[in-house]
Amino acid sequence: MRMLPSSFQLSGNRLSLDPHDPDFVQNPYAAYAELHRVSPAFFWEQYGHWCFAGFDAVSALLRDRRFGRQILHVATREELGLPGPNPALANFDAVERHSLLELEPPGHTKLRKLINKAFVSRNVERLRPQIEALANRLIDGFAPGKPVELLERYATPIPLVTICGMLGVPVEAGPQLVAWSHAMCRMYVLDPSNDDARNADAAAGEFSAFLREHIVERRQNPADDLLSALIAAEQDGDTLTLDELISTIVLLLNAGHEATVHQIGNAVKTIVESGRDPAVLFADDKASAATVEECLRHDAPLHMFTRYALEDLTFDLEGHPVALKKGDTIGLMLGAANRDPRRFDEPGRFDPARDKNDNVSFGAGIHFCVGAPLARLELQVALPVLFERLPGLQVTEALRYADVYHFHGLERVPVTAG
C-alpha cells in the first residue's frame, strides 16, 4: 500500500487531512483504505462536518429522507446561525436557487418529472449511432502518428456536443459553455478564493444572459429539442418559470459534460495501467457495460456529495451512533464507498468480471443522477471506439489529477496510438 498523505492524522473518529495535500490529490485511496480499516464514519476537521465512507452507509444515507440538499425550507438562517446571502454571489445563487440538484420536494418533484422523460434509457439509446459517429469523426481528426491530448480533443467534445444537441443549444458556443462551467464548479471545492467567487458569479451571470436570449428565441421558434419541450411542458398545471428554465439548462449542460469528461480520462488511465486487453474488455455490449461499471467503481469522477440533516437525529453506524442536529452537513464519500473492502473483494483491483461491481458514483434516492443513462451510453461508446481505433494506445507522460477535490479528474491525458 502507498504511504498515507503527509497531512493525514486520525485520532479516534476525528480526521485532519488537507484535501489539497498533493499525495491525497494523486491517490485518495490510500487514505480511504485506512479510514475503512479504522473509522468509516469520521469528523473531517477541514470541512467541519461528519463524513461516511462505507458503501452501505453511503447508499442508505443517499436514500434517507431525513437528509436533503436544502435546509432553508425547514429552518431559518437565524435559527441555524447561518450568515446572510453574499451579494457578490447574487448571480451564482440565483442559478443555484432553482437547480434540480439543490431542490427538495415538491419543487424537485415537478422539475424531475419534466426532465426524466428525455433521459430514460430507451430514449437515450436512440443517440447511440450519432455518439458513435461523433467519436469516430473526432479520431479521424487526429494527426496520424502524432500525440493527442484526449481530454480536450475527445473526452470533452463527446458529452458536450451530445448535450448541446439534445438541448438545442448552439454547439459553436461549446468552448464558452465549458469555460463558464469550469468557473462555476470552482465554487464546489473547499474554501474557494475571492477570485474564484468573482469568476463564478460572472460566469453565472453571463451563462444566464446567454440562455435567456436563447429561451426567448425558442419560445418564438420551437424546435425538436429538449429546451423547446421544457418550455412547452406542463406538470399539474404548472410550467417552468424563466428562472427555473435557466437553472435547469445550466445544470444539464454543466453536469452533462463535467463528470463524463473526468470519467473518460480516469477510465483510459485505469485500462492502460491494468495491462488488460481492450479487445477483451470491449468484446461485445455486455463486456463493454461491465467494463464501464467497473471503471465507474474503480476511479469515480465525484468523491463527495453533501446533505443537510433536516431534523435532530442519530444515525447508527454498526453500533456506533453519530448524533446530528438539524442543519448539520454530512459528507457522503462516493469514491471511498466504491472501494469498501466489506463490499468488494480486493477493492483496489480493476476487474470487470467481479461478481459485484455496483457503485454509488451516480448517487441514489431522489437525487440519483438524471443523466446516468446518457453518461453510461457515452462511456460505452467512447471507450470501445477509442481503443479500437487506436490499437496499442500509450500514455506519453505521467498522468496527474487536478487539485479540485471533491471532483476527481486528470489534468491532461496525452496519448499516442503506439
Side-chain angles (χ1 to χ4, degrees), residues 57-78:
V58 168
S59 184
L61 286 164
L62 285 166
R63 294 173 170 84
D64 193 326
R65 298 303 302 133
R66 297 175 299 170
F67 297 88
R69 289 289 293 169
Q70 280 182 313
I71 188 59
L72 295 181
H73 64 306
V74 297
T76 65
R77 290 180 180 274
E78 291 75 21

Side-chain angles (χ1 to χ4, degrees), residues 354-372:
R354 65 172 64 245
D355 291 336
K356 291 181 180 178
N357 68 350
D358 48 350
N359 60 79
V360 290
S361 297
F362 292 114
I366 68 167
H367 285 289
F368 179 79
C369 177
V370 70

Side-chain angles (χ1 to χ4, degrees), residues 159-179:
L160 182 63
V161 170
T162 301
I163 194 64
C164 283
M166 288 182 69
L167 288 165
V169 175
V171 173
E172 297 76 21
Q176 182 61 74
L177 300 177
V178 170

Side-chain angles (χ1 to χ4, degrees), residues 91-283:
N91 292 317
F92 182 85
D93 289 343
V95 171
E96 292 283 284
R97 190 173 301 122
H98 301 287
S99 172
L100 179 69
L101 189 63
E102 305 299 332
L103 292 176
E104 291 297 304
H108 176 273
T109 307
K110 180 181 86 168
L111 277 175
R112 183 91 187 196
K113 284 182 177 179
L114 290 172
I115 297 168
N116 255 351
K117 196 181 302 182
F119 288 94
V120 295
S121 296
R122 63 180 177 275
N123 289 337
V124 165
E125 181 61 30
R126 298 170 187 167
L127 298 173
R128 183 181 292 270
Q130 67 189 64
I131 296 173
E132 186 170 347
L134 172 61
N136 278 290
R137 190 163 66 249
L138 290 169
I139 294 175
D140 288 341
F142 296 173
K146 299 289 187 181
V148 63
E149 203 287 287
L150 279 185
L151 295 189
E152 178 184 359
R153 298 286 301 280
Y154 192 72
T156 295
I158 287 175
L160 182 63
V161 170
T162 301
I163 194 64
C164 283
M166 288 182 69
L167 288 165
V169 175
V171 173
E172 297 76 21
Q176 182 61 74
L177 300 177
V178 170
W180 286 331
S181 178
H182 287 341
M184 293 179 71
C185 285
R186 291 295 303 182
M187 290 303 296
Y188 305 126
V189 304
L190 180 66
D191 296 330
S193 68
N194 290 334
D195 283 344
D196 288 337
R198 282 191 292 270
N199 292 337
D201 194 67
E206 292 166 11
F207 207 158
S208 297
F210 167 83
L211 289 175
R212 191 171 290 110
E213 290 183 7
H214 201 63
I215 289 167
V216 169
E217 194 279 331
R218 272 294 184 267
R219 286 191 193 278
Q220 298 171 348
N221 301 291
D224 183 18
D225 56 44
L226 180 55
L227 178 54
S228 298
L230 289 173
I231 290 171
E234 186 173 315
Q235 179 67 40
D236 299 327
D238 291 328
T239 55
L240 295 179
T241 67
L242 179 60
D243 288 341
E244 288 174 330
L245 275 168
I246 289 171
S247 292
T248 299
I249 302 306
V250 168
L251 173 64
L252 292 176
L253 283 167
N254 286 0
H257 82 276
E258 285 279 353
T260 306
V261 171
H262 292 325
Q263 188 59 70
I264 290 174
N266 294 359
V268 169
K269 178 178 184 290
T270 294
I271 290 167
V272 169
E273 291 182 351
S274 75
R276 291 175 176 267
D277 183 358
V280 175
L281 295 177
F282 302 109

